[in-house]
Amino acid sequence: MLQICEGLARQQELIDLLNRRMKYDRLGVNDALLQFENDMIKGALPEPSERYRCSSRLRGTRGFVEIARQRARALAERVRHPG
């Protein structure tokens, strides 16, 4: 139970970080996505599909670095089709 609660807290931290970076630090978005991806790969995020909604905004916005947009597309695909 503790592991689930810690995972949910970490997940919310990463989403908040990503939202802040999307708003104030567009060059840092890729780093935030990388942290999210690493935790998702480790299985530390209990509900990535429920919590990861900002990827749709990121994927369609031209103001972000292309590598961040590509990472967002790959993460969204991984969340939709785990395994």
Side-chain angles (χ1 to χ4, degrees):
M1 184 68 143
L2 178 63
Q3 192 174 23
I4 292 171
C5 291
E6 285 177 348
L8 288 171
R10 175 70 178 153
Q11 186 170 291
Q12 190 58 49
E13 279 179 26
L14 290 171
I15 290 169
D16 291 344
L17 173 66
L18 187 55
N19 284 326
R20 271 194 315 277
R21 296 270 173 97
M22 288 173 66
K23 189 171 183 179
Y24 300 112
D25 180 19
R26 291 182 176 226
L27 293 176
V29 168
N30 191 51
D31 291 334
L33 287 170
L34 186 60
Q35 289 177 16
F36 192 94
E37 183 178 18
N38 287 338
D39 282 357
M40 192 172 76
I41 290 169
K42 290 181 211 172
L45 306 178
E47 297 178 355
S49 62
E50 289 297 317
R51 298 290 183 172
Y52 189 67
R53 298 183 186 213
C54 49
S55 69
S56 60
R57 286 191 331 224
L58 180 61
R59 288 178 290 166
T61 305
R62 292 184 182 196
F64 295 106
V65 179
E66 180 60 29
I67 194 165
R69 290 173 44 199
Q70 290 174 356
R71 185 174 303 281
R73 282 192 287 274
L75 270 173
E77 192 64 30
R78 186 175 288 164
V79 166
R80 274 188 244 125
H81 307 290

Coordinates of all heavy atoms in Angstrom, one line a residue:
M1 N 0.8 -1.2 0.0 CA 0.0 0.0 0.0 C 0.9 1.3 0.0 O 0.6 2.2 -0.7 CB -0.9 0.0 1.2 CG -1.9 1.1 1.3 SD -3.1 0.9 0.0 CE -4.5 1.5 0.8
L2 N 1.9 1.2 0.8 CA 2.8 2.4 0.8 C 3.5 2.6 -0.5 O 3.6 3.8 -1.0 CB 3.9 2.1 1.9 CG 5.0 3.2 2.0 CD1 4.3 4.5 2.5 CD2 6.1 2.8 3.0
Q3 N 3.9 1.5 -1.2 CA 4.5 1.7 -2.5 C 3.5 2.3 -3.5 O 4.0 3.2 -4.3 CB 4.9 0.3 -3.0 CG 5.8 0.4 -4.2 CD 6.4 -1.0 -4.5 OE1 5.8 -2.0 -4.2 NE2 7.5 -1.1 -5.2
I4 N 2.3 2.0 -3.5 CA 1.3 2.6 -4.4 C 1.1 4.1 -4.1 O 1.1 4.9 -5.0 CB -0.1 1.9 -4.2 CG1 0.0 0.4 -4.8 CG2 -1.2 2.6 -5.0 CD1 -1.2 -0.4 -4.5
C5 N 1.0 4.4 -2.8 CA 0.9 5.8 -2.4 C 2.1 6.6 -2.8 O 2.0 7.8 -3.3 CB 0.6 6.0 -0.9 SG -1.0 5.4 -0.4
E6 N 3.3 6.1 -2.6 CA 4.5 6.8 -3.0 C 4.6 6.9 -4.6 O 5.0 7.9 -5.1 CB 5.8 6.0 -2.6 CG 6.0 6.2 -1.1 CD 7.2 5.3 -0.6 OE1 7.7 4.5 -1.4 OE2 7.6 5.6 0.5
G7 N 4.1 5.9 -5.3 CA 4.1 6.0 -6.7 C 3.1 7.0 -7.2 O 3.5 7.8 -8.2
L8 N 2.0 7.1 -6.6 CA 1.0 8.2 -7.0 C 1.6 9.6 -6.7 O 1.4 10.5 -7.5 CB -0.3 8.0 -6.2 CG -1.1 6.8 -6.7 CD1 -2.3 6.6 -5.7 CD2 -1.6 7.0 -8.1
A9 N 2.3 9.7 -5.5 CA 2.9 11.0 -5.2 C 3.9 11.4 -6.2 O 4.0 12.5 -6.7 CB 3.4 11.0 -3.8
R10 N 4.8 10.4 -6.6 CA 5.8 10.7 -7.5 C 5.3 11.0 -8.9 O 5.7 11.9 -9.6 CB 6.7 9.4 -7.6 CG 7.8 9.5 -8.7 CD 8.9 10.5 -8.4 NE 9.9 10.5 -9.4 CZ 10.6 11.5 -9.7 NH1 10.5 12.6 -9.0 NH2 11.5 11.5 -10.7
Q11 N 4.2 10.3 -9.3 CA 3.5 10.6 -10.5 C 3.0 12.0 -10.6 O 3.2 12.7 -11.6 CB 2.4 9.6 -10.7 CG 1.7 9.6 -12.0 CD 0.8 8.4 -12.0 OE1 1.3 7.2 -12.1 NE2 -0.5 8.6 -12.0
Q12 N 2.4 12.4 -9.5 CA 1.8 13.8 -9.4 C 3.0 14.8 -9.5 O 2.8 15.9 -10.1 CB 1.0 14.0 -8.2 CG 0.2 15.3 -8.2 CD -0.7 15.4 -9.4 OE1 -1.5 14.5 -9.7 NE2 -0.7 16.5 -10.1
E13 N 4.1 14.5 -8.8 CA 5.2 15.4 -8.9 C 5.7 15.6 -10.3 O 6.0 16.7 -10.7 CB 6.4 14.9 -8.0 CG 6.3 15.1 -6.6 CD 7.5 14.4 -5.9 OE1 8.6 14.3 -6.5 OE2 7.4 14.1 -4.7
L14 N 5.8 14.5 -11.0 CA 6.3 14.6 -12.4 C 5.4 15.3 -13.3 O 5.8 16.1 -14.2 CB 6.5 13.1 -12.9 CG 7.7 12.4 -12.3 CD1 7.7 10.9 -12.7 CD2 9.0 13.1 -12.7
I15 N 4.1 15.1 -13.1 CA 3.1 15.8 -13.9 C 3.1 17.3 -13.6 O 3.1 18.2 -14.5 CB 1.7 15.3 -13.7 CG1 1.6 13.9 -14.3 CG2 0.6 16.2 -14.3 CD1 0.4 13.1 -14.0
D16 N 3.3 17.7 -12.3 CA 3.4 19.1 -12.0 C 4.7 19.7 -12.6 O 4.6 20.8 -13.1 CB 3.4 19.3 -10.5 CG 2.1 19.0 -9.8 OD1 1.0 18.9 -10.5 OD2 2.0 18.8 -8.6
L17 N 5.8 18.9 -12.5 CA 7.0 19.4 -13.1 C 6.9 19.6 -14.6 O 7.3 20.7 -15.1 CB 8.1 18.4 -12.8 CG 9.5 18.6 -13.5 CD1 10.1 19.9 -13.0 CD2 10.4 17.4 -13.4
L18 N 6.2 18.7 -15.3 CA 6.0 18.8 -16.7 C 5.2 20.0 -17.0 O 5.5 20.7 -18.0 CB 5.4 17.5 -17.2 CG 5.3 17.4 -18.7 CD1 6.6 17.6 -19.4 CD2 4.7 16.0 -19.1
N19 N 4.1 20.2 -16.3 CA 3.2 21.3 -16.5 C 4.0 22.7 -16.3 O 3.8 23.6 -17.1 CB 2.0 21.3 -15.7 CG 1.0 20.3 -16.1 OD1 0.8 20.1 -17.3 ND2 0.3 19.7 -15.2
R20 N 4.8 22.7 -15.3 CA 5.6 23.9 -15.0 C 6.6 24.2 -16.2 O 6.7 25.3 -16.7 CB 6.3 23.8 -13.7 CG 5.6 24.3 -12.5 CD 6.5 24.5 -11.3 NE 7.5 23.4 -11.1 CZ 7.2 22.3 -10.4 NH1 6.0 22.1 -9.9 NH2 8.1 21.4 -10.2
R21 N 7.2 23.1 -16.6 CA 8.2 23.3 -17.7 C 7.5 23.7 -19.0 O 8.0 24.4 -19.7 CB 9.0 22.0 -17.9 CG 9.8 21.5 -16.7 CD 11.2 22.1 -16.8 NE 12.0 21.9 -15.6 CZ 12.9 20.9 -15.5 NH1 13.0 20.0 -16.5 NH2 13.6 20.8 -14.4
M22 N 6.3 23.1 -19.2 CA 5.6 23.5 -20.4 C 5.2 25.0 -20.4 O 5.2 25.6 -21.5 CB 4.3 22.6 -20.6 CG 4.6 21.2 -21.0 SD 3.2 20.1 -21.0 CE 2.2 20.8 -22.3
K23 N 5.0 25.5 -19.3 CA 4.6 26.9 -19.2 C 5.8 27.8 -19.1 O 5.8 28.9 -19.7 CB 3.7 27.1 -17.9 CG 3.1 28.4 -17.8 CD 2.1 28.4 -16.7 CE 1.4 29.8 -16.6 NZ 0.4 29.8 -15.5
Y24 N 6.8 27.5 -18.3 CA 7.9 28.4 -18.1 C 9.3 28.1 -18.6 O 10.1 28.9 -18.7 CB 8.1 28.6 -16.5 CG 6.8 29.1 -15.8 CD1 6.1 28.3 -15.0 CD2 6.4 30.4 -16.1 CE1 5.0 28.8 -14.3 CE2 5.2 30.9 -15.4 CZ 4.5 30.0 -14.6 OH 3.4 30.5 -14.0
D25 N 9.5 26.8 -19.0 CA 10.8 26.4 -19.4 C 10.7 25.4 -20.5 O 10.9 24.2 -20.3 CB 11.6 25.8 -18.2 CG 13.0 25.3 -18.5 OD1 13.5 25.7 -19.6 OD2 13.6 24.5 -17.8
R26 N 10.4 25.8 -21.7 CA 10.2 24.9 -22.8 C 11.4 24.0 -23.2 O 11.2 22.9 -23.6 CB 9.7 25.7 -24.0 CG 8.3 26.2 -23.8 CD 7.8 26.9 -24.9 NE 6.4 27.3 -24.6 CZ 5.4 27.2 -25.4 NH1 5.6 26.6 -26.6 NH2 4.2 27.6 -25.1
L27 N 12.6 24.5 -22.9 CA 13.8 23.7 -23.2 C 13.9 22.6 -22.2 O 14.6 21.6 -22.4 CB 15.0 24.5 -23.2 CG 15.1 25.5 -24.4 CD1 16.3 26.4 -24.2 CD2 15.1 24.8 -25.7
G28 N 13.3 22.7 -21.0 CA 13.4 21.7 -20.0 C 12.4 20.6 -20.0 O 12.4 19.7 -19.2
V29 N 11.5 20.7 -21.0 CA 10.4 19.7 -21.1 C 10.9 18.4 -21.4 O 10.4 17.4 -20.9 CB 9.4 20.2 -22.2 CG1 8.4 19.1 -22.6 CG2 8.6 21.4 -21.8
N30 N 11.9 18.3 -22.3 CA 12.5 16.9 -22.6 C 13.0 16.2 -21.4 O 12.8 15.0 -21.2 CB 13.6 17.1 -23.7 CG 14.0 15.7 -24.2 OD1 13.1 15.0 -24.6 ND2 15.3 15.5 -24.2
D31 N 13.7 17.0 -20.5 CA 14.2 16.4 -19.2 C 13.1 15.8 -18.4 O 13.2 14.8 -17.8 CB 15.1 17.4 -18.5 CG 16.4 17.7 -19.1 OD1 16.8 16.8 -19.9 OD2 16.9 18.8 -18.9
A32 N 12.0 16.6 -18.3 CA 10.9 16.2 -17.5 C 10.2 14.9 -18.1 O 9.8 14.0 -17.3 CB 9.8 17.3 -17.3
L33 N 10.1 14.9 -19.4 CA 9.6 13.7 -20.1 C 10.5 12.5 -19.9 O 10.0 11.4 -19.7 CB 9.4 14.0 -21.6 CG 8.3 14.9 -22.0 CD1 8.4 15.2 -23.4 CD2 6.9 14.2 -21.7
L34 N 11.8 12.7 -19.9 CA 12.7 11.6 -19.6 C 12.6 11.1 -18.2 O 12.6 9.8 -18.0 CB 14.2 12.1 -19.9 CG 15.3 11.1 -19.8 CD1 15.1 10.0 -20.8 CD2 16.6 11.7 -20.0
Q35 N 12.4 11.9 -17.2 CA 12.2 11.4 -15.9 C 10.9 10.6 -15.8 O 10.8 9.5 -15.2 CB 12.1 12.6 -14.9 CG 13.4 13.3 -14.6 CD 13.2 14.5 -13.7 OE1 12.2 14.6 -13.0 NE2 14.2 15.4 -13.7
F36 N 9.8 11.1 -16.4 CA 8.6 10.4 -16.5 C 8.7 9.0 -17.1 O 8.3 8.0 -16.6 CB 7.5 11.2 -17.2 CG 6.1 10.7 -17.1 CD1 5.3 11.3 -16.1 CD2 5.6 9.8 -17.9 CE1 4.0 10.8 -16.0 CE2 4.3 9.3 -17.8 CZ 3.5 9.8 -16.8
E37 N 9.4 9.0 -18.3 CA 9.6 7.8 -19.0 C 10.4 6.8 -18.2 O 10.1 5.6 -18.1 CB 10.3 8.0 -20.3 CG 10.5 6.8 -21.2 CD 11.2 7.1 -22.5 OE1 11.8 8.2 -22.6 OE2 11.1 6.3 -23.4
N38 N 11.5 7.2 -17.5 CA 12.3 6.3 -16.7 C 11.5 5.7 -15.5 O 11.6 4.5 -15.3 CB 13.5 7.1 -16.1 CG 14.6 7.3 -17.2 OD1 14.6 6.7 -18.2 ND2 15.4 8.4 -17.0
D39 N 10.7 6.5 -14.9 CA 9.9 6.0 -13.8 C 8.8 5.0 -14.3 O 8.5 4.1 -13.6 CB 9.3 7.1 -13.0 CG 10.2 7.8 -12.0 OD1 11.4 7.3 -11.9 OD2 9.8 8.7 -11.3
M40 N 8.3 5.3 -15.5 CA 7.3 4.4 -16.1 C 7.9 3.1 -16.4 O 7.3 2.0 -16.2 CB 6.7 5.1 -17.3 CG 5.4 4.4 -17.8 SD 4.6 5.3 -19.1 CE 5.6 4.9 -20.5
I41 N 9.1 3.1 -17.0 CA 9.8 1.9 -17.3 C 10.1 1.0 -16.1 O 10.0 -0.2 -16.1 CB 11.1 2.2 -18.1 CG1 10.8 2.7 -19.5 CG2 12.0 1.0 -18.2 CD1 11.9 3.3 -20.2
K42 N 10.5 1.7 -15.0 CA 10.7 1.0 -13.7 C 9.5 0.5 -13.1 O 9.6 -0.3 -12.1 CB 11.4 1.9 -12.7 CG 12.8 2.3 -13.1 CD 13.3 3.3 -11.9 CE 14.3 4.3 -12.5 NZ 14.6 5.3 -11.5
G43 N 8.3 0.9 -13.5 CA 7.1 0.5 -12.9 C 6.7 1.2 -11.7 O 5.9 0.8 -10.9
A44 N 7.3 2.4 -11.5 CA 7.1 3.2 -10.3 C 5.8 4.1 -10.4 O 5.4 4.6 -9.4 CB 8.3 4.1 -10.1
L45 N 5.2 4.1 -11.6 CA 4.0 5.0 -11.7 C 2.8 4.0 -11.9 O 2.6 3.3 -12.8 CB 4.1 5.8 -13.0 CG 5.4 6.7 -13.0 CD1 5.4 7.5 -14.3 CD2 5.4 7.7 -11.8
P46 N 1.9 4.1 -10.9 CA 0.8 3.1 -10.8 C -0.2 3.3 -11.9 O -0.8 2.3 -12.4 CB 0.2 3.3 -9.5 CG 0.8 4.5 -8.9 CD 2.0 4.9 -9.7
E47 N -0.5 4.5 -12.3 CA -1.5 4.8 -13.3 C -1.1 5.8 -14.4 O -1.6 6.9 -14.5 CB -2.8 5.3 -12.7 CG -3.4 4.4 -11.7 CD -4.7 5.0 -11.0 OE1 -4.9 6.2 -11.3 OE2 -5.3 4.3 -10.3
P48 N -0.1 5.5 -15.2 CA 0.4 6.5 -16.2 C -0.7 6.9 -17.2 O -0.7 8.0 -17.6 CB 1.6 5.8 -16.8 CG 1.4 4.4 -16.6 CD 0.6 4.3 -15.3
S49 N -1.5 6.0 -17.6 CA -2.6 6.3 -18.6 C -3.6 7.3 -18.0 O -4.1 8.1 -18.7 CB -3.2 5.0 -19.1 OG -3.9 4.4 -18.0
E50 N -3.9 7.2 -16.7 CA -4.9 8.1 -16.1 C -4.3 9.5 -15.9 O -5.0 10.5 -16.0 CB -5.3 7.6 -14.8 CG -6.2 6.4 -14.9 CD -7.5 6.7 -15.6 OE1 -8.1 7.7 -15.3 OE2 -7.9 5.9 -16.4
R51 N -3.0 9.6 -15.6 CA -2.4 10.8 -15.2 C -1.7 11.6 -16.3 O -1.5 12.8 -16.2 CB -1.4 10.6 -14.0 CG -2.1 10.0 -12.8 CD -2.9 11.1 -12.2 NE -3.5 10.6 -11.0 CZ -4.2 11.3 -10.1 NH1 -4.4 12.6 -10.4 NH2 -4.7 10.8 -9.1
Y52 N -1.3 10.9 -17.3 CA -0.5 11.6 -18.4 C -1.4 12.1 -19.5 O -1.6 11.5 -20.5 CB 0.5 10.6 -18.9 CG 1.5 11.2 -19.8 CD1 2.5 12.1 -19.3 CD2 1.6 10.9 -21.2 CE1 3.4 12.7 -20.1 CE2 2.5 11.5 -22.0 CZ 3.4 12.4 -21.5 OH 4.3 13.0 -22.3
R53 N -1.9 13.3 -19.2 CA -2.8 13.9 -20.2 C -2.2 15.1 -20.9 O -2.7 15.6 -21.9 CB -4.1 14.3 -19.5 CG -4.8 13.1 -18.9 CD -6.1 13.5 -18.3 NE -6.5 12.2 -17.7 CZ -7.8 11.9 -17.6 NH1 -8.7 12.7 -18.0 NH2 -8.1 10.8 -17.0
C54 N -1.1 15.6 -20.4 CA -0.5 16.8 -21.0 C 0.2 16.5 -22.3 O 0.6 17.4 -23.0 CB 0.4 17.6 -20.0 SG 1.5 16.5 -19.2
S55 N 0.4 15.2 -22.6 CA 1.1 14.9 -23.8 C 0.4 15.3 -25.1 O 1.0 15.7 -26.1 CB 1.4 13.3 -23.9 OG 0.2 12.7 -24.1
S56 N -0.9 15.3 -25.0 CA -1.7 15.8 -26.2 C -1.4 17.2 -26.5 O -1.3 17.6 -27.7 CB -3.2 15.5 -26.1 OG -3.7 16.2 -24.9
R57 N -1.3 18.1 -25.5 CA -1.0 19.5 -25.7 C 0.4 19.6 -26.2 O 0.7 20.4 -27.1 CB -1.1 20.2 -24.3 CG -2.5 20.5 -23.9 CD -2.5 21.5 -22.7 NE -1.3 21.4 -21.9 CZ -1.3 21.5 -20.6 NH1 -2.4 21.5 -20.0 NH2 -0.2 21.5 -19.9
L58 N 1.3 18.8 -25.7 CA 2.7 18.9 -26.0 C 3.0 18.4 -27.5 O 3.7 19.0 -28.2 CB 3.6 18.1 -25.1 CG 5.0 18.0 -25.3 CD1 5.6 19.4 -25.2 CD2 5.7 17.1 -24.3
R59 N 2.3 17.3 -27.8 CA 2.6 16.8 -29.2 C 2.1 17.7 -30.3 O 2.7 17.7 -31.3 CB 1.8 15.4 -29.3 CG 2.5 14.3 -28.5 CD 1.7 13.1 -28.7 NE 0.4 13.2 -28.0 CZ -0.6 12.5 -28.1 NH1 -0.6 11.5 -28.9 NH2 -1.7 12.6 -27.4
G60 N 1.1 18.5 -30.1 CA 0.6 19.3 -31.1 C 1.1 20.8 -31.1 O 0.7 21.5 -32.0
T61 N 1.9 21.1 -30.2 CA 2.3 22.5 -30.1 C 3.7 22.7 -30.7 O 4.6 22.0 -30.4 CB 2.4 22.9 -28.6 OG1 1.1 22.7 -28.0 CG2 2.7 24.4 -28.5
R62 N 3.8 23.6 -31.6 CA 5.1 23.8 -32.3 C 6.1 24.6 -31.5 O 7.3 24.6 -31.9 CB 4.8 24.6 -33.6 CG 4.0 23.8 -34.6 CD 3.9 24.6 -35.9 NE 3.1 23.8 -36.8 CZ 3.0 24.0 -38.0 NH1 3.7 25.0 -38.6 NH2 2.3 23.3 -38.8
G63 N 5.8 25.2 -30.4 CA 6.7 25.9 -29.6 C 7.7 25.1 -28.8 O 8.6 25.6 -28.2
F64 N 7.5 23.8 -28.8 CA 8.4 22.9 -28.0 C 9.5 22.3 -28.9 O 9.3 22.2 -30.1 CB 7.6 21.8 -27.4 CG 6.7 22.3 -26.3 CD1 5.3 22.3 -26.6 CD2 7.1 22.7 -25.1 CE1 4.4 22.7 -25.6 CE2 6.2 23.2 -24.2 CZ 4.9 23.2 -24.4
V65 N 10.6 22.0 -28.4 CA 11.7 21.4 -29.1 C 11.2 20.1 -29.7 O 10.4 19.3 -29.0 CB 12.9 21.1 -28.1 CG1 14.0 20.5 -28.9 CG2 13.3 22.4 -27.5
E66 N 11.6 19.8 -30.9 CA 11.1 18.6 -31.6 C 11.4 17.3 -30.9 O 10.5 16.4 -30.9 CB 11.7 18.6 -33.1 CG 11.2 17.4 -33.9 CD 9.7 17.4 -34.1 OE1 9.0 18.4 -34.1 OE2 9.2 16.2 -34.2
I67 N 12.5 17.2 -30.3 CA 12.9 16.0 -29.5 C 11.9 15.8 -28.4 O 11.5 14.6 -28.1 CB 14.3 16.0 -29.0 CG1 14.7 14.6 -28.6 CG2 14.5 17.0 -27.9 CD1 16.2 14.4 -28.5
A68 N 11.4 16.8 -27.8 CA 10.4 16.7 -26.7 C 9.1 16.2 -27.3 O 8.4 15.4 -26.7 CB 10.3 18.0 -25.9
R69 N 8.7 16.8 -28.4 CA 7.5 16.3 -29.0 C 7.5 14.9 -29.5 O 6.5 14.1 -29.3 CB 7.2 17.2 -30.2 CG 6.8 18.7 -29.8 CD 6.7 19.7 -30.9 NE 5.9 19.1 -32.0 CZ 6.0 19.7 -33.2 NH1 6.8 20.7 -33.5 NH2 5.3 19.2 -34.2
Q70 N 8.7 14.4 -30.0 CA 8.8 13.0 -30.3 C 8.8 12.1 -29.1 O 8.1 11.1 -29.1 CB 10.2 12.8 -31.1 CG 10.2 13.4 -32.4 CD 11.6 13.3 -33.1 OE1 12.5 12.9 -32.4 NE2 11.7 13.8 -34.3
R71 N 9.4 12.5 -28.0 CA 9.4 11.8 -26.8 C 7.9 11.7 -26.3 O 7.5 10.6 -25.8 CB 10.3 12.3 -25.7 CG 10.4 11.5 -24.5 CD 11.4 11.9 -23.5 NE 12.7 12.1 -24.0 CZ 13.6 11.1 -24.2 NH1 13.3 9.9 -23.9 NH2 14.8 11.3 -24.7
A72 N 7.2 12.8 -26.3 CA 5.8 12.8 -25.9 C 5.0 11.8 -26.7 O 4.1 11.1 -26.2 CB 5.2 14.2 -26.0
R73 N 5.2 11.8 -28.0 CA 4.5 10.8 -28.9 C 4.8 9.4 -28.5 O 3.9 8.6 -28.4 CB 4.8 11.1 -30.3 CG 4.1 12.3 -30.9 CD 4.2 12.3 -32.5 NE 5.5 12.7 -32.9 CZ 5.9 14.0 -33.1 NH1 5.1 15.0 -32.8 NH2 7.2 14.2 -33.5
A74 N 6.1 9.1 -28.3 CA 6.5 7.8 -27.9 C 5.9 7.4 -26.6 O 5.5 6.2 -26.4 CB 8.0 7.7 -27.9
L75 N 5.9 8.3 -25.6 CA 5.4 8.0 -24.3 C 3.9 7.7 -24.4 O 3.4 6.8 -23.7 CB 5.6 9.1 -23.3 CG 6.9 9.1 -22.6 CD1 7.1 10.4 -21.8 CD2 6.9 7.9 -21.6
A76 N 3.2 8.5 -25.1 CA 1.7 8.3 -25.3 C 1.4 7.0 -25.9 O 0.5 6.3 -25.5 CB 1.1 9.5 -26.1
E77 N 2.2 6.6 -26.9 CA 2.0 5.3 -27.5 C 2.3 4.2 -26.5 O 1.6 3.2 -26.4 CB 3.0 5.2 -28.7 CG 2.6 4.0 -29.6 CD 1.3 4.1 -30.2 OE1 0.8 5.2 -30.5 OE2 0.7 3.0 -30.5
R78 N 3.4 4.3 -25.7 CA 3.7 3.3 -24.7 C 2.6 3.2 -23.6 O 2.3 2.1 -23.2 CB 5.0 3.6 -24.1 CG 5.5 2.5 -23.1 CD 6.9 2.8 -22.6 NE 7.8 2.6 -23.7 CZ 9.1 3.1 -23.6 NH1 9.5 3.7 -22.6 NH2 9.9 2.9 -24.6
V79 N 2.0 4.3 -23.3 CA 1.0 4.3 -22.2 C -0.3 3.6 -22.8 O -0.9 2.8 -22.1 CB 0.6 5.7 -21.8 CG1 -0.7 5.8 -21.0 CG2 1.8 6.3 -20.9
R80 N -0.6 3.9 -24.1 CA -1.7 3.3 -24.7 C -1.6 1.8 -24.9 O -2.5 1.0 -24.8 CB -2.0 3.9 -26.0 CG -2.9 5.2 -25.9 CD -3.3 5.7 -27.2 NE -2.7 7.0 -27.4 CZ -2.0 7.4 -28.3 NH1 -1.7 6.6 -29.3 NH2 -1.5 8.6 -28.3
H81 N -0.3 1.4 -25.3 CA -0.1 0.0 -25.6 C 1.1 -0.5 -24.8 O 2.2 -0.7 -25.3 CB 0.3 -0.2 -27.1 CG -0.8 0.4 -28.0 ND1 -2.0 -0.2 -28.1 CD2 -0.8 1.5 -28.8 CE1 -2.7 0.6 -29.0 NE2 -2.0 1.6 -29.4
P82 N 0.9 -0.8 -23.5 CA 2.0 -1.3 -22.6 C 2.5 -2.6 -23.0 O 1.7 -3.5 -23.5 CB 1.4 -1.3 -21.2 CG -0.1 -1.3 -21.4 CD -0.3 -0.8 -22.7
G83 N 3.8 -2.9 -22.8 CA 4.3 -4.2 -23.1 C 5.3 -4.3 -24.1 O 6.1 -3.9 -24.7

